Amino acid sequence: MKQPFIIGNWKSHKTPNEVAEWFAQISPSVRSLEATVILCPPFPLLPQCKELIKKQQLPWKLGAQDVSQYPVGKHTGEVSATLLKEFVEYVLIGHSERRHMGETDAILFEKVKRVQEVGITPIFFVQGKDVAIPQRIPVVAYEPLFAIGTGKADTPEDAEKIAHFFKTEKQVPTVLYGGSVDDKNVSVFMSCSSIDGIVPGTASLDPVVFSHILQYA
Ligand code: PGA
């Protein structure tokens, strides 16, 4: 049995009160599961999530949803990889929602460099086979545009084909699938031989559904 990677991408959701409620409703049984669970809240919620993960003895890690392309310095509003290192082990880079905001391959590759310099693992998002990826990237998440937040996941056959391509042609060790993953389809994607894990967005916002996803992965 493979140990699944499960990335909860909260995007721009939740307030401190909602975070407290969310953690209170996470099933205690998920504590003993053999999985790499990486929760990705918005930046200001990282310290609170770190505290609650510790308090509830969850064997989970934290990830950030973005990082500055610049090092520490005079960059108003930016969050450096050096600061993030205090809170997270992973950073999401290249999500299609950020590409739509104008992030180019050059910017994304700089971000990968910044996080690798400080020892954070980048999770690099691709929307298809033809997307450029940095050399020696450890984790790629395939998320087709039509499947994000639509309730219409890709077929497991197609997701498997793309995951297989990145594993064999691009030598990416870990490949994930994201796009309308929920507690009903998670086991289908996890049974694909080239898919090592999943990235639930909408479904990670509900603690009961997220607990089910962890149990069924
Ligand atoms: P979704 O989002 O699960 O709501 O489709 C996934 C993502 O965009 O990472």
Side-chain angles (χ1 to χ4, degrees):
M1 266 281 287
K2 56 189 169 190
Q3 179 163 322
F5 268 73
I6 299 155
I7 320 282
N9 179 11
W10 280 359
K11 306 192 181 183
S12 189
H13 290 281
K14 298 208 184 289
T15 61
N17 279 343
E18 289 166 353
V19 171
E21 274 170 38
W22 188 91
F23 272 89
Q25 289 181 59
I26 283 291
S27 165
S29 68
V30 303
R31 232 179 260 147
S32 55
L33 295 174
E34 302 271 317
T36 303
V37 180
I38 304 159
L39 188 65
C40 302
F43 289 138
L45 302 176
L46 283 168
Q48 184 188 9
C49 288
K50 193 175 173 180
E51 278 287 315
L52 288 167
I53 284 172
K54 196 169 159 205
K55 195 166 155 210
Q56 292 188 210
Q57 297 175 336
L58 293 161
W60 295 4
K61 299 172 189 316
L62 280 173
Q65 298 173 20
D66 189 23
V67 63
S68 178
Q69 64 181 302
Y70 307 109
V72 172
K74 297 174 184 171
H75 311 293
T76 301
E78 293 289 302
V79 177
S80 72
T82 306
L83 169 57
L84 284 178
K85 177 75 178 152
E86 304 277 327
F87 300 96
V88 307
E89 290 177 54
Y90 295 85
V91 172
L92 313 183
I93 297 176
H95 193 287
S96 56
E97 288 159 5
R98 298 223 51 95
R99 291 177 190 263
H100 283 310
M101 293 172 206
E103 294 193 0
T104 60
D105 286 348
I107 293 173
L108 299 174
F109 281 39
E110 276 300 294
K111 292 186 174 200
V112 169
K113 251 197 246 163
R114 290 289 91 75
V115 302
Q116 288 184 322
E117 278 164 5
V118 299
I120 294 174
T121 303
I123 298 174
F124 198 82
F125 284 67
V126 298
Q127 294 71 39
K129 274 188 192 171
D130 50 355
V131 174
I133 59 169
Q135 283 189 340
R136 288 182 294 282
I137 196 84
V139 189
V140 156
Y142 162 58
E143 291 202 341
L145 286 180
F146 65 82
I148 296 177
T150 58
K152 291 188 171 71
D154 202 348
T155 62
E157 294 76 24
D158 196 36
E160 165 60 26
K161 240 185 260 167
I162 305 239
H164 187 256
F165 168 82
F166 280 100
K167 289 207 124 162
T168 54
E169 308 282 319
K170 304 283 179 182
Q171 281 93 45
V172 178
T174 301
V175 182
L176 317 176
Y177 167 75
S180 297
V181 175
D182 58 25
D183 49 348
K184 296 181 189 66
N185 60 20
V186 57
S187 56
V188 179
F189 287 108
M190 282 314 305
S191 64
C192 297
S193 59
S194 305
I195 296 178
D196 302 295
I198 38 108
V199 189
T202 310
S204 71
L205 296 173
D206 180 324
V208 177
V209 176
F210 192 61
S211 298
H212 286 158
I213 289 177
L214 301 189
Q215 282 152 353
Y216 303 156

XYZ file of all heavy atoms in Angstrom, residues 10-26 39 41-42 44-46 48-49 52 56 60 202 204-208 210:
292
model
N -6.850 25.404 1.205
C -7.979 26.225 1.665
C -8.192 27.471 0.815
O -9.174 28.185 0.991
C -7.760 26.656 3.119
C -8.090 25.609 4.127
C -8.571 24.351 3.900
C -7.972 25.734 5.557
N -8.751 23.687 5.080
C -8.394 24.516 6.117
C -7.544 26.752 6.408
C -8.407 24.292 7.492
C -7.551 26.531 7.774
C -7.985 25.312 8.316
N -7.221 27.798 -0.024
C -7.292 29.030 -0.835
C -7.537 30.227 0.091
O -7.011 30.263 1.200
C -8.343 28.881 -1.930
C -8.096 27.618 -2.768
C -8.901 27.534 -4.015
C -8.569 26.238 -4.733
N -9.248 26.088 -6.003
N -8.397 31.173 -0.330
C -8.567 32.396 0.454
C -9.789 32.270 1.361
O -10.645 33.158 1.378
C -8.708 33.553 -0.528
O -8.678 34.769 0.142
N -9.877 31.157 2.078
C -11.023 30.913 2.950
C -10.585 30.856 4.415
O -9.465 30.515 4.704
C -11.664 29.552 2.618
C -12.360 29.515 1.296
N -13.612 30.027 1.079
C -11.956 29.020 0.107
C -13.962 29.847 -0.181
N -12.977 29.235 -0.806
N -11.513 31.112 5.288
C -11.472 30.923 6.748
C -10.882 32.102 7.536
O -9.987 32.806 7.072
C -10.750 29.616 7.122
C -11.466 28.381 6.566
C -11.231 27.154 7.392
C -11.884 25.932 6.740
N -13.360 25.990 6.830
N -11.477 32.235 8.731
C -11.058 33.231 9.722
C -10.574 32.445 10.944
O -10.819 31.233 11.031
C -12.263 34.091 10.148
O -13.234 33.205 10.740
C -12.889 34.813 8.962
N -9.920 33.106 11.916
C -9.460 32.365 13.103
C -10.572 31.582 13.809
O -10.359 30.440 14.225
C -8.888 33.465 13.992
C -8.408 34.502 13.017
C -9.419 34.495 11.894
N -11.762 32.166 13.931
C -12.861 31.436 14.580
C -13.231 30.184 13.797
O -13.492 29.114 14.368
C -14.113 32.316 14.685
C -14.013 33.249 15.859
O -13.197 33.030 16.755
N -14.817 34.302 15.839
N -13.290 30.322 12.494
C -13.644 29.176 11.649
C -12.562 28.086 11.705
O -12.870 26.901 11.631
C -13.865 29.635 10.202
C -15.139 30.453 10.041
C -15.229 31.202 8.713
O -14.248 31.199 7.947
O -16.279 31.805 8.459
N -11.325 28.504 11.857
C -10.239 27.522 11.971
C -10.410 26.699 13.245
O -10.293 25.471 13.236
C -8.853 28.225 11.962
C -7.742 27.240 12.306
C -8.593 28.846 10.602
N -10.724 27.391 14.354
C -10.913 26.690 15.632
C -12.050 25.671 15.508
O -11.927 24.523 15.951
C -11.201 27.698 16.739
N -13.139 26.087 14.871
C -14.281 25.167 14.686
C -13.899 23.992 13.804
O -14.291 22.854 14.042
C -15.436 25.903 14.002
C -16.338 26.644 14.946
C -17.302 27.546 14.171
O -17.775 27.145 13.088
O -17.526 28.669 14.663
N -13.149 24.273 12.750
C -12.740 23.231 11.791
C -11.928 22.147 12.513
O -12.210 20.953 12.393
C -11.929 23.878 10.660
C -11.603 22.994 9.498
C -12.346 22.826 8.368
C -10.424 22.175 9.321
N -11.714 21.963 7.500
C -10.541 21.541 8.062
C -9.303 21.907 10.094
C -9.568 20.666 7.556
C -8.333 21.031 9.599
C -8.479 20.428 8.350
N -10.949 22.592 13.301
C -10.098 21.614 13.998
C -10.901 20.819 15.028
O -10.651 19.640 15.231
C -8.895 22.301 14.656
C -7.709 22.416 13.729
C -7.563 23.516 12.894
C -6.750 21.416 13.667
C -6.477 23.616 12.024
C -5.663 21.501 12.804
C -5.528 22.608 11.987
N -11.882 21.485 15.662
C -12.697 20.788 16.670
C -13.514 19.658 16.037
O -13.897 18.709 16.711
C -13.612 21.790 17.364
N -13.756 19.759 14.746
C -14.596 18.737 14.085
C -13.805 17.703 13.290
O -14.382 16.861 12.613
C -15.585 19.434 13.152
C -16.665 20.194 13.911
C -17.623 20.847 12.931
O -18.256 20.188 12.126
N -17.677 22.156 12.991
N -12.492 17.792 13.341
C -11.681 16.776 12.651
C -11.743 15.480 13.461
O -11.569 15.491 14.679
C -10.215 17.275 12.509
C -10.117 18.295 11.369
C -9.224 16.143 12.301
C -10.309 17.740 9.964
N -1.574 20.624 5.246
C -2.648 21.611 5.259
C -2.089 22.959 4.805
O -1.050 23.409 5.298
C -3.201 21.713 6.690
C -4.454 22.543 6.862
C -5.639 21.897 6.120
C -4.782 22.693 8.345
N -3.250 26.645 4.695
C -4.156 27.767 4.982
C -3.564 29.077 4.444
O -2.399 29.112 4.055
C -4.182 27.788 6.514
C -2.855 27.235 6.921
C -2.358 26.336 5.823
N -4.350 30.155 4.465
C -3.794 31.474 4.127
C -2.683 31.852 5.119
O -2.702 31.398 6.272
C -4.993 32.416 4.283
C -6.201 31.536 4.174
C -5.795 30.208 4.735
N -1.888 34.324 7.272
C -2.042 34.742 8.672
C -2.569 33.628 9.576
O -2.500 33.745 10.794
C -3.082 35.882 8.607
C -3.176 36.249 7.178
C -2.795 35.048 6.385
N -3.084 32.560 8.996
C -3.625 31.462 9.810
C -2.584 30.373 10.085
O -2.850 29.422 10.815
C -4.849 30.858 9.111
C -5.997 31.843 8.832
C -7.120 31.169 8.061
C -6.530 32.435 10.137
N -1.390 30.528 9.523
C -0.362 29.477 9.709
C 0.006 29.268 11.183
O 0.042 28.114 11.637
C 0.895 29.805 8.886
C 0.798 29.525 7.375
C 1.976 30.157 6.621
C 0.741 28.029 7.092
N -1.703 29.795 13.939
C -2.827 29.157 14.651
C -2.929 27.675 14.253
O -3.120 26.802 15.115
C -4.132 29.886 14.310
C -5.322 29.354 15.072
C -6.655 29.943 14.579
O -6.689 30.628 13.555
N -7.715 29.669 15.295
N -2.806 27.395 12.966
C -2.885 25.993 12.516
C -1.733 25.180 13.094
O -1.905 24.029 13.501
C -2.875 25.922 10.983
S -4.415 26.499 10.247
N -2.650 24.347 16.669
C -3.741 23.369 16.789
C -3.310 21.972 16.354
O -3.737 20.971 16.917
C -4.969 23.850 16.006
C -5.696 25.029 16.664
C -6.697 25.659 15.715
C -6.401 24.554 17.943
N -3.600 18.986 18.997
C -4.432 17.808 18.713
C -3.595 16.595 18.306
O -4.137 15.570 17.899
C -5.468 18.148 17.628
C -6.483 19.141 18.151
C -7.655 19.406 17.214
O -8.212 20.486 17.216
N -8.041 18.426 16.402
N 0.519 15.977 11.033
C 0.351 16.732 9.798
C 1.461 17.761 9.633
O 2.095 18.165 10.596
C -0.974 17.500 9.807
C -2.204 16.671 9.812
C -2.281 15.300 9.876
C -3.553 17.148 9.774
N -3.592 14.916 9.869
C -4.397 16.033 9.800
C -4.115 18.413 9.718
C -5.780 16.140 9.778
C -5.488 18.540 9.694
C -6.310 17.406 9.715
N -12.071 22.676 -2.418
C -13.411 22.858 -1.826
C -13.684 21.810 -0.738
O -14.170 22.144 0.346
C -14.482 22.735 -2.937
O -14.098 23.585 -4.025
C -15.850 23.134 -2.426
N -11.761 20.296 1.177
C -10.946 20.374 2.402
C -11.517 21.397 3.382
O -11.086 21.466 4.534
C -9.495 20.747 2.063
O -9.402 22.095 1.635
N -12.469 22.191 2.934
C -13.019 23.252 3.795
C -13.969 22.698 4.851
O -14.176 23.310 5.899
C -13.764 24.294 2.939
C -12.885 25.057 1.943
C -13.751 25.924 1.038
C -11.853 25.913 2.677
N -14.550 21.551 4.561
C -15.479 20.915 5.494
C -14.714 19.835 6.274
O -14.207 18.887 5.673
C -16.636 20.297 4.685
C -17.658 19.617 5.587
O -17.260 19.015 6.606
O -18.848 19.676 5.256
N -14.609 19.984 7.612
C -13.775 19.064 8.391
C -14.263 17.612 8.350
O -13.454 16.685 8.433
C -13.856 19.622 9.814
C -15.087 20.468 9.830
C -15.276 20.991 8.448
N -15.578 17.429 8.202
C -16.115 16.061 8.168
C -15.742 15.416 6.824
O -15.251 14.282 6.768
C -17.650 16.072 8.390
C -18.222 14.674 8.277
C -17.968 16.689 9.741
N -13.300 16.342 4.882
C -11.836 16.181 4.836
C -11.408 14.941 5.632
O -10.557 14.176 5.178
C -11.144 17.440 5.367
C -9.661 17.479 5.098
C -9.164 17.472 3.798
C -8.743 17.509 6.143
C -7.788 17.503 3.542
C -7.371 17.538 5.910
C -6.894 17.530 4.599
